[in-house]
Amino acid sequence: MDNYPPLQCIGGGANLRAVGAQFMMSSPGAPGFAPGARGSHIAHRLEQLEHELMQLKSMRGQEEAPQYPPGPVLPDSGFMGMPPFSHNQSAHSAGAAGQPQTMCIPVPYPVHHQMPGTVATGPSTKEHDELLHAHRELLDSMQQQQMRHTQLLQSHTDLMKAHMDLLSKTLGQGSGTDKKKKLKNHPCLGVVRLDYNYPPAGGDTDCPASFAYDVFYRAVPGLTFELAQAGHFDETVERHFAEAIKHLEQRQVHAITGDCGFMMAFQVLARKIATKPVFMSSMVQCPAIAAAFRASDKLLILTANGESLKPQKEVLLHSCGFDVSEDRFIIKGCQDVPGFDAVAKGEAVPLDIVQPGIVKLTKDFLKAHPDIKGILLECTELPPYADALRAHTGLPVWDCITGADFYINAFKDNPRFGINDWQAEWDQEQEDYTFGQNLIEKDRSQLLNLKRDDTDKAKKKKHSRARALAHPTTKAKLEKTKRILQRKQSPILGVVRLDYNYPPAKGDIDCPGSYDYEVLFRCVPGLTFEMAQVGRMTHTVQQEFVKAIKWLEARGVSGITGDCGFMMAFQPIASEVASVPVFMSSMVQSPMVSVAFDKYDKILILTANSKTLKPQKDTLLKHCGFDVDDSRFVIYGCEDVPGFDAVSKGDKVDVEYVTPGMVKMVTDILEKEPTIRAILLECTELPPYSDALRHSTDLPVFDAITCADFYICARKDNPRFGLNQWQCDWDGVADEYELGDNLDSASTKFLVNG
């Protein structure tokens, strides 16, 4: 019992407080406390106290009590002249006053005996019970503190283990060969093909060279263009369709698409079969595109044949999870463009003839409809002309390639920030595919458009295309086009910043190094985080907000975003002012993410604080099509992740320290919610952890950067096909920015945190 100091404690309430004070001095955390085998000592001490209590109770029954010599009067004591009594002595003998003792308890006189000159205080055992009760409460408190301390130690141990595991996985251990084996596969795409055989051009979905990652194909016997156009098939074709999807997943593809826009009619069926994201048509991009413009703005849909698509318009758009008015999307067919009829005939398309025709058709249509703000290419054979349309119209152009890139990028390592060297680099080689490949002989025999000399024809057409590209006339036309265009500026992103000053980490939307294109920042003086959270601006702040939008657009930005998800409340104001796409929150991606999965699959939404997202329900639903009460969306806040509280404090976040805690939190969530198929990071300060989450969960992760990339790519030259060298290359230099830069003197005076 040498863990407890001696107590001089005789008497009533004041002495009881003294006992508590002395006992607390012997508790963990008190100065001079030395831990020992405390658990056994506590139990032993309780037994001794209970034994002494029994002795006291037996003493009350005695008629005569021994007379004690007068002792010293203790301050604040209800008993006078009573010497301290040690638990090491018998009940009928007392130690000498002042003798060192290990523990003392008040020993009362019997009730009917009273020391001369004292006042009776009632049954003395009551005070002993109070002391014993206080003692037990203190012991309980100590045990609770010890349990909490143990929990904290375990949490710290788990966090350190997660940190070491993450470092081990990302940095690699042992030889270079061992490290290479641990790398994740580079993401790849799976394409379900129609039973339709033709020579695809560069940019076509069926051309492997159209993609900057591996792509694998599987044809569906019996699924002709006519069946796809009708939107339904029989059980035999459905079985082949399901087998195609399963085959592609066995090839470990990360996302699956189709090679015909009419396959959108089979989107619901496909996502029931697949576990990976499915987007059977470029039309899945409709919700995200529409959200970036005013409701009065029009969007042009170019298709191979307008008459064929119009009957499918409502079905296709509803399958995309987006209900759109009839006049919002304008459909225009390309069937009358000279040379484009080769698509319907299954022949090679003469690009040098068709491209000028597509451009002329579009420019003429834009003159008749000046309120068109964006273009979507529905047909999978139209992407070869996307760059020419971007160059000649100055409008953003989305197609099946931008759609595929959106989903693949959610699996892809972002080399600019986060953890690196965890994913293998693409080897720049594609599988040499021939129509009918990857089918067993029985299924191959059921193909309606298989040609015996496919291999020989493919070789001849390859040489033919090579000679055509080298033709002097074609080169001259390209040079003439370049001179006319005079190299357009590479796309620039504009970011509207809060009046909030903090050091952004790489990956944060406010860090210029987070992008592989130029970015311009403009702060809105007076627009604090609290004001954004409320969703209302004062008149003065709104004027500054409008001024920021106009300033960015005047500098030629191709899209505008905000550095806080709560700015989604100001999306209508921004889109009314701007003519370029405006996406004030990464949540505009939510419909495009959810449409790629089955209705029983869930999407994890990570935010800085889950409680703050609920008040934004109406705004998010109206402008993003995102319902926070939809059971498909699982919302979790990161406020309890160790180190992430620096975000709310405006301090620099230690990303390396926070990452293991972020990964552990998400992996714990996935254990509880096994049907989660994708992760969407709402907070603009969460992208630094995207790669770590991709690596640890193998799920697609969408964030503010993938969102910005989606809109910027619609204005960006695709070097793999189509018109090239029409746009200046980005110099790779990200300009530094400090809060208050790019403001005039009139605006600067309104800064709150500058």
Side-chain angles (χ1 to χ4, degrees):
M1 298 302 296
D2 52 358
N3 283 340
Y4 297 94
L7 301 180
Q8 301 293 333
C9 48
I10 309 298
N15 277 323
L16 185 60
R17 289 192 297 272
V19 171
Q22 292 188 46
F23 189 84
M24 288 303 292
M25 289 297 292
S26 65
S27 300
F33 172 73
R38 187 168 64 245
S40 60
H41 286 184
I42 290 172
H44 180 60
R45 181 62 185 137
L46 282 174
E47 290 179 3
Q48 289 179 326
L49 288 172
E50 289 172 356
H51 177 68
E52 291 173 1
L53 181 59
M54 293 296 294
Q55 287 180 326
L56 291 172
K57 287 181 178 180
S58 65
M59 289 170 59
R60 292 184 60 189
Q62 297 177 4
E63 290 293 329
E64 297 292 336
Q67 298 295 320
Y68 293 92
V73 178
L74 299 180
D76 195 31
S77 175
F79 298 95
M80 304 180 66
M82 177 179 171
F85 189 88
S86 171
H87 73 275
N88 290 327
Q89 298 172 305
S90 68
H92 300 285
S93 63
Q99 183 178 349
Q101 301 160 38
T102 56
M103 184 67 180
C104 295
I105 59 172
V107 182
Y109 292 98
V111 177
H112 56 277
H113 285 274
Q114 183 175 335
M115 293 295 294
T118 64
V119 179
T121 59
S124 57
T125 53
K126 179 180 178 181
E127 295 178 359
H128 191 281
D129 289 343
E130 289 176 353
L131 177 60
L132 186 60
H133 179 69
H135 196 168
R136 285 176 173 168
E137 285 185 340
L138 290 170
L139 290 177
D140 289 342
S141 177
M142 287 173 57
Q143 290 173 343
Q144 291 174 4
Q145 290 177 17
Q146 186 175 10
M147 288 175 61
R148 177 60 178 159
H149 184 65
T150 303
Q151 290 173 353
L152 290 173
L153 283 175
Q154 185 62 46
S155 177
H156 181 72
T157 302
D158 292 344
L159 184 62
M160 292 304 297
K161 183 178 183 300
H163 201 162
M164 295 304 297
D165 289 344
L166 185 63
L167 287 174
S168 175
K169 291 176 182 178
T170 55
L171 299 180
Q173 293 179 348
S175 65
T177 304
D178 292 338
K179 179 180 176 181
K180 189 173 182 180
K181 288 181 180 178
K182 293 181 180 180
L183 295 179
K184 301 273 187 178
N185 292 333
H186 193 277
C188 54
L189 177 68
V191 178
V192 177
R193 285 194 58 161
L194 290 176
D195 189 343
Y196 178 65
N197 196 1
Y198 71 105
D204 191 314
T205 301
D206 284 335
C207 177
S210 303
F211 305 94
Y213 35 83
D214 282 338
V215 58
F216 302 105
Y217 297 92
R218 170 79 175 228
V220 179
L223 182 53
T224 61
F225 177 78
E226 291 74 22
L227 272 183
Q229 194 173 5
H232 57 81
F233 40 51
D234 59 26
E235 186 176 345
T236 301
V237 177
E238 182 176 332
R239 178 179 62 82
H240 288 312
F241 183 78
E243 287 176 350
I245 292 175
K246 291 177 180 178
H247 166 83
L248 293 172
E249 289 208 329
Q250 286 177 350
R251 298 293 300 269
Q252 298 183 344
V253 301
H254 292 74
I256 297 174
T257 189
D259 72 343
C260 174
F262 288 120
M263 283 194 189
M264 195 66 209
F266 313 129
Q267 172 78 10
V268 175
L269 174 62
R271 67 189 190 186
K272 283 183 179 294
I273 301 168
T275 60
K276 300 296 183 181
V278 174
F279 49 105
M280 300 306 290
S281 167
S282 63
M283 298 286 280
V284 297
Q285 301 169 94
C286 286
I289 296 171
F293 296 96
R294 290 175 294 187
S296 59
D297 290 335
K298 302 293 191 296
L299 298 168
L300 173 62
I301 297 179
L302 285 182
T303 181
N305 190 304
E307 297 304 317
S308 299
L309 183 63
K310 283 180 180 178
Q312 294 286 325
K313 177 182 176 181
E314 186 176 350
V315 174
L316 291 172
L317 292 179
H318 285 179
S319 297
C320 296
F322 187 63
D323 187 10
V324 65
S325 61
E326 280 295 317
D327 58 351
R328 181 81 190 270
F329 288 86
I330 304 175
I331 298 173
K332 181 63 178 176
C334 301
Q335 63 271 16
D336 296 329
V337 173
F340 197 69
D341 58 342
V343 172
K345 297 176 182 178
E347 300 173 353
V349 179
L351 298 181
D352 56 339
I353 296 175
V354 174
Q355 181 171 287
I358 296 287
V359 170
K360 184 179 185 305
L361 171 79
T362 304
K363 292 178 72 174
D364 291 345
F365 199 78
L366 292 177
K367 287 180 181 178
H369 300 83
D371 50 354
I372 289 176
K373 301 299 181 184
I375 302 172
L376 173 63
L377 308 182
E378 179 271 341
C379 177
T380 58
E381 296 188 54
L382 282 174
Y385 317 106
D387 277 344
L389 292 175
R390 292 173 184 131
H392 286 278
T393 67
L395 294 178
V397 179
W398 290 272
D399 54 31
C400 58
I401 307 301
T402 62
D405 289 347
F406 173 76
Y407 291 101
I408 291 297
N409 286 342
F411 289 97
K412 199 174 179 181
D413 172 33
N414 193 321
R416 297 186 296 278
F417 53 82
I419 65 171
N420 288 312
D421 301 325
W422 60 273
Q423 190 177 78
E425 294 183 4
W426 183 45
D427 59 9
Q428 306 289 323
E429 295 181 359
Q430 293 283 9
E431 181 180 76
D432 187 15
Y433 176 81
T434 302
F435 185 71
Q437 189 175 321
N438 301 325
L439 288 171
I440 61 174
E441 188 60 37
K442 178 183 176 183
D443 291 340
R444 189 182 297 112
S445 65
Q446 297 181 41
L447 286 170
L448 303 178
N449 290 292
L450 182 66
K451 302 173 184 177
R452 293 182 180 277
D453 56 347
D454 275 334
T455 304
D456 294 337
K457 283 192 174 183
K459 289 181 179 179
K460 290 180 181 178
K461 287 175 182 176
K462 182 177 180 181
H463 293 311
S464 175
R465 286 199 299 273
R467 286 196 298 271
L469 290 173
H471 197 277
T473 305
T474 305
K475 274 191 172 182
K477 287 184 178 180
L478 288 174
E479 291 299 326
K480 182 179 179 181
T481 302
K482 291 175 189 176
R483 286 195 299 272
I484 294 173
L485 294 173
Q486 295 181 349
R487 300 295 290 271
K488 303 285 185 178
Q489 176 181 277
S490 60
I492 304 171
L493 175 67
V495 179
V496 178
R497 284 197 57 163
L498 291 177
D499 189 342
Y500 178 65
N501 201 2
Y502 71 106
K506 286 185 178 180
D508 189 309
I509 201 166
D510 280 335
C511 177
S514 301
Y515 312 91
D516 63 351
Y517 38 82
E518 190 174 351
V519 58
L520 288 176
F521 298 94
R522 170 81 177 217
C523 170
V524 179
L527 182 53
T528 61
F529 175 78
E530 292 74 19
M531 187 179 291
Q533 193 172 6
V534 172
R536 291 189 301 273
M537 293 184 285
T538 64
H539 178 69
T540 302
V541 172
Q542 183 167 326
Q543 286 182 319
E544 291 293 334
F545 182 82
V546 170
K547 187 188 291 187
I549 299 291
K550 290 181 177 179
W551 184 89
L552 290 170
E553 192 160 14
R555 265 76 186 161
V557 300
S558 300
I560 297 174
T561 188
D563 73 343
C564 174
F566 290 119
M567 283 195 191
M568 197 65 209
F570 313 134
Q571 174 84 10
I573 300 173
S575 59
E576 281 294 328
V577 177
S579 60
V580 297
V582 174
F583 41 102
M584 302 305 288
S585 168
S586 64
M587 295 301 288
V588 296
Q589 302 169 101
S590 56
M592 195 170 166
V593 174
S594 61
V595 74
F597 297 94
D598 187 55
K599 64 179 181 179
Y600 299 113
D601 293 331
K602 293 182 178 180
I603 313 298
L604 173 61
I605 308 290
L606 286 186
T607 180
N609 191 310
S610 57
K611 295 178 182 178
T612 59
L613 194 61
K614 287 282 184 181
Q616 294 286 315
K617 173 184 175 180
D618 293 337
T619 300
L620 292 170
L621 181 61
K622 182 177 180 180
H623 301 297
C624 301
F626 168 70
D627 186 354
V628 294
D629 291 330
D630 189 338
S631 59
R632 291 188 63 194
F633 297 101
V634 183
I635 302 173
Y636 277 85
C638 303
E639 59 270 20
D640 294 329
V641 174
F644 194 69
D645 57 342
V647 171
S648 59
K649 297 175 182 177
D651 297 334
K652 184 175 182 179
V653 181
D654 187 342
V655 174
E656 186 177 356
Y657 175 76
V658 173
T659 297
M662 193 71 67
V663 170
K664 185 179 186 305
M665 182 191 74
V666 172
T667 51
D668 289 346
I669 293 171
L670 294 179
E671 287 182 3
K672 294 184 291 185
E673 302 276 2
T675 57
I676 289 175
R677 292 287 179 266
I679 302 172
L680 174 56
L681 308 183
E682 180 270 343
C683 177
T684 58
E685 296 188 53
L686 282 175
Y689 315 103
S690 294
D691 278 347
L693 294 177
R694 291 173 183 132
H695 173 248
S696 60
T697 67
D698 290 326
L699 294 179
V701 180
F702 304 87
D703 55 30
I705 306 302
T706 62
C707 184
D709 290 348
F710 173 72
Y711 290 100
I712 291 297
C713 76
R715 292 286 297 272
K716 199 173 183 180
D717 174 31
N718 192 322
R720 295 187 297 277
F721 54 82
L723 182 67
N724 286 317
Q725 298 182 3
W726 59 273
Q727 191 175 70
C728 295
D729 295 328
W730 180 49
D731 60 10
V733 178
D735 295 334
E736 294 296 326
Y737 174 84
E738 292 185 4
L739 191 73
D741 288 353
N742 303 325
L743 291 177
D744 55 32
S745 57
S747 297
T748 303
K749 66 181 181 181
F750 294 115
L751 273 176
V752 176
N753 294 301

